[in-house]
Amino acid sequence: QVQLVESGGGLVQAGGSLRLSCAASGRTFSSYRMGWFRQAPGKEREFVAAITRSGGTSYYADSLKGRFTISRDNAKNTVYLQMNSLKPEDTAVYYCAASTGGSYGYADSYRYWGQGTQVTVSA
């Protein structure tokens, strides 16, 4: 089992940047593929990015490529989401999640979830 705690959210102006962190408990962090999802008010949770166990490969929602970057540090049991050129439509609660398999883009593939961190982008 792994517990996930996100941090780094906040209020930022459009065009600004934020870096989210997700700290994992336990000794098996490197055995999990990690992902970020987000959920805006009144909308379904959507895939943002995912990264393989080693960190060698990453995946992104098509609409976010070039602005968001996922990375991980297995020695620190932490996964990151660097978000640049933020837009008001990026406003959402951002969740990190851990998966042992399945499709990287589907929430059902992720077994463990953090509590989320709010990101608000003002115009």
Side-chain angles (χ1 to χ4, degrees), residues 77-98:
N77 282 9
T78 302
V79 61
Y80 305 96
L81 184 68
Q82 177 68 43
M83 305 185 295
N84 298 327
S85 302
L86 284 162
K87 305 175 181 180
E89 51 264 43
D90 294 319
T91 295
V93 177
Y94 284 72
Y95 299 90
C96 74

Side-chain angles (χ1 to χ4, degrees), residues 8-103:
L11 174 65
V12 64
Q13 289 187 332
S17 298
L18 281 175
R19 188 174 84 152
L20 305 182
S21 299
C22 174
S25 64
R27 298 174 292 176
T28 60
F29 176 72
S30 61
S31 68
Y32 293 96
R33 182 179 65 210
M34 299 300 296
W36 286 96
F37 289 76
R38 68 185 184 183
Q39 188 166 17
K43 295 187 177 181
E44 293 186 354
R45 190 168 298 189
E46 65 172 349
F47 170 72
V48 173
I51 190 166
T52 55
R53 293 164 179 80
S54 67
T57 303
S58 54
Y59 308 90
Y60 298 92
D62 288 342
S63 62
L64 301 176
K65 287 180 181 178
R67 294 196 300 122
F68 287 17
T69 302
I70 189 172
S71 62
R72 68 189 295 165
D73 186 337
N74 286 343
K76 295 182 178 180
N77 282 9
T78 302
V79 61
Y80 305 96
L81 184 68
Q82 177 68 43
M83 305 185 295
N84 298 327
S85 302
L86 284 162
K87 305 175 181 180
E89 51 264 43
D90 294 319
T91 295
V93 177
Y94 284 72
Y95 299 90
C96 74
S99 171
T100 57
S103 175

